[in-house]
Amino acid sequence: FLSLPRLCMEMANEVLTNDALDVRQSAQLVVSQAQHVSIDHEAARRLADKLLPLWIDGKYSLRQWREDNPLHPSVADSSALDWIFVVDTLNFSFWSEDKELFGVRFHDHLYTGYWSLCAAINRALEEGIPITNAAYLATLTKEQLGHVFRSDTASNAPLLDDRLRVLQEAGRVLLDRFGGSFETCVRAANGSARRLIDLVTTHFSSYRDQAVWHTPEPTSPGASRTSLASSSSPPSSSPATHTVRLYKRVQILVADTWACFEGKGLGSFDDIDCVTMFADYRVPQCLLYFGLLRYSDKLLASLHAGEPLPSGDSREVEIRAASIHAVEVLLEEMRTLLSVQKTKLGSSSSSSSSSSSSSLSSSSSSSLSSSSSSSVCGSPLNSIVLDFYLW
């Protein structure tokens, strides 16, 4: 067997290399050509006005990943990493056609949605089922997984066959490539979130969340309406067909690792801000509610009619890509507002100084005066923290 340092070194050299756009570039490209979804910058400014004081006052922060979520691991260690890896491998599709959602009762509380997944894994571990063990996952049967995901409601766990497939692959790859432990994969990333994303998407096929985007014809009516020119935007002369990366679950995997360890030890990544929001189905609903996202009448009619949007459908890709870019716009508005507030606070000797766009409490002002440009009281301001709060 290879030693852990040597294994990590070899793994670090085996990453997926191709010319596909990264997540931010993918989102910018799709939004610049979208026909059904656009971003309202004024709505982003209004929401930034509301969210920044809450962040400064500590209403949401990195610490809440463990403190406010009792189903998440309470201790940041190797076992927590294995738990995070299994949960995020399974973190997809908890909707149901039935009126009653799949649910798991754990410690006298019934959980649905994402929390039903956490509850099912925790229940299995309490029952002595080694559901986070790579060797167990590699040979997992449908019957065993069905027991882990037995429902306490009238609805069964959705997509059980798909969940079995991705868990079996996860177990095999962990054993074959990472010595049976996700910790080895994390260490191989050598403190780089981008490297960890590359390692996971290289070796675990289920994490390769990408789509093919076909550039609309030049006469498409939505092009000028949704254009968001940026110095980092892909050139307009690029090919008409692109592979766009959305990378929901692998980014959640990195973010959960970072949050569990509060940015320290195994959760320390010097490029954590490369991670965007996670393009799922819940945050887009929030962004639509606050007006950051605007849907065309045609798209709204389809959604109100209950028409499913297949994975890879251009409308689905537009919604997910626009959600990523909308949170980037929101984050930039908040950082700009934060910079203005700190400048005003520093240039004024009066504690009653106020901003034209946001009113800060005295405790907020105190936090601002002792903070760095990217954090307040040790709480970072980035796309991950915003996604956690909006979700």
Side-chain angles (χ1 to χ4, degrees):
F1 291 94
L2 294 174
S3 66
L4 183 59
R6 182 181 171 192
L7 186 61
C8 290
M9 186 178 300
E10 291 192 5
M11 290 302 102
N13 291 327
E14 297 182 9
V15 296
L16 190 67
T17 56
N18 57 51
D19 57 359
L21 302 172
D22 68 20
V23 176
R24 280 187 175 84
Q25 291 172 330
S26 296
Q28 290 172 352
L29 171 69
V30 173
V31 169
S32 71
Q33 300 176 353
Q35 297 180 296
H36 296 287
V37 186
S38 60
I39 297 172
D40 188 326
H41 286 247
E42 284 300 322
R45 294 186 185 100
R46 291 193 297 271
L47 186 57
D49 244 2
K50 296 178 180 179
L51 294 185
L52 184 64
L54 297 175
W55 173 73
I56 293 172
D57 284 339
K59 301 300 183 184
Y60 57 99
S61 70
L62 183 60
R63 295 185 300 273
Q64 291 176 317
W65 189 91
R66 277 195 290 149
E67 293 177 355
D68 293 353
N69 299 309
L71 294 182
H72 284 169
S74 59
V75 177
D77 57 14
S78 180
S79 295
L81 281 179
D82 291 337
W83 185 96
I84 288 170
F85 180 71
V86 168
V87 166
D88 288 339
T89 298
L90 294 168
N91 189 2
F92 57 87
S93 187
F94 292 97
W95 291 108
S96 172
E97 297 292 335
D98 302 324
K99 291 183 179 179
E100 189 175 20
L101 294 175
F102 163 72
V104 173
R105 186 170 297 281
F106 182 67
H107 291 180
D108 298 323
H109 185 87
L110 183 67
Y111 295 95
T112 59
Y114 164 76
W115 299 114
S116 67
L117 165 60
C118 299
I121 298 302
N122 290 347
R123 179 178 63 184
L125 290 172
E126 283 198 359
E127 293 172 349
I129 300 172
I131 192 62
T132 60
N133 178 275
Y136 181 79
L137 295 178
T139 59
L140 188 66
T141 67
K142 186 174 181 179
E143 182 180 8
Q144 289 171 324
L145 186 61
H147 177 74
V148 170
F149 279 97
R150 64 190 185 276
S151 180
D152 290 304
T153 67
S155 295
N156 294 323
L159 303 178
L160 194 64
D161 288 334
D162 293 297
R163 298 186 196 282
L164 177 63
R165 177 179 53 81
V166 299
L167 283 180
Q168 289 173 337
E169 180 203 43
R172 289 194 302 267
V173 174
L174 284 176
L175 290 173
D176 294 343
R177 311 301 302 175
F178 297 100
S181 171
F182 182 58
E183 179 182 348
T184 306
C185 185
V186 173
R187 290 188 181 279
N190 196 28
S192 169
R194 193 179 303 275
R195 173 72 69 169
L196 183 54
I197 288 170
D198 287 343
L199 280 168
V200 172
T201 54
T202 294
H203 295 288
F204 300 90
S205 64
S206 70
Y207 278 93
R208 295 174 202 153
D209 176 17
Q210 52 195 37
V212 175
W213 174 256
H214 301 282
T215 299
E217 293 298 322
T219 56
S220 296
S224 61
R225 177 174 61 88
T226 59
S227 179
L228 291 170
S230 168
S231 59
S232 59
S233 297
S236 58
S237 60
S238 52
T241 300
H242 303 265
T243 297
V244 293
R245 292 170 167 170
L246 301 170
Y247 279 7
K248 170 201 162 185
R249 286 187 300 121
V250 70
Q251 292 202 119
I252 294 177
L253 178 63
V254 174
D256 283 349
T257 299
W258 177 66
C260 179
F261 288 81
E262 296 185 10
K264 303 171 185 176
L266 291 169
S268 176
F269 301 104
D270 55 18
D271 58 349
I272 191 62
D273 285 355
C274 76
V275 178
T276 70
M277 67 81 71
F278 327 124
D280 66 353
Y281 44 74
R282 183 160 167 173
V283 173
Q285 294 172 338
C286 178
L287 296 173
L288 183 66
Y289 173 81
F290 283 110
L292 274 74
L293 294 186
R294 293 190 177 276
Y295 293 174
S296 68
D297 291 341
K298 186 175 181 179
L299 176 57
L300 283 173
S302 296
L303 295 174
H304 288 316
E307 176 189 343
L309 302 184
S311 177
D313 183 280
S314 62
R315 297 165 297 174
E316 185 240 12
V317 174
E318 284 189 25
I319 292 172
R320 299 182 71 198
S323 298
I324 292 169
H325 197 65
V327 172
E328 295 298 306
V329 171
L330 174 61
L331 177 63
E332 185 60 30
E333 291 291 347
M334 292 179 67
R335 285 177 170 171
T336 299
L337 184 57
L338 177 63
S339 178
V340 170
Q341 294 291 351
K342 288 172 69 68
T343 299
K344 288 190 174 185
L345 184 65
S347 63
S348 174
S349 59
S350 171
S351 61
S352 62
S353 294
S354 61
S355 167
S356 60
S357 58
S358 179
S359 176
L360 298 180
S361 66
S362 59
S363 62
S364 300
S365 298
S366 176
S367 296
L368 275 177
S369 64
S370 61
S371 71
S372 68
S373 60
S374 60
S375 67
V376 169
C377 297
S379 176
L381 179 60
N382 58 24
S383 298
I384 297 173
V385 172
L386 283 180
D387 184 285
F388 284 165
Y389 183 67
L390 292 172
W391 187 86

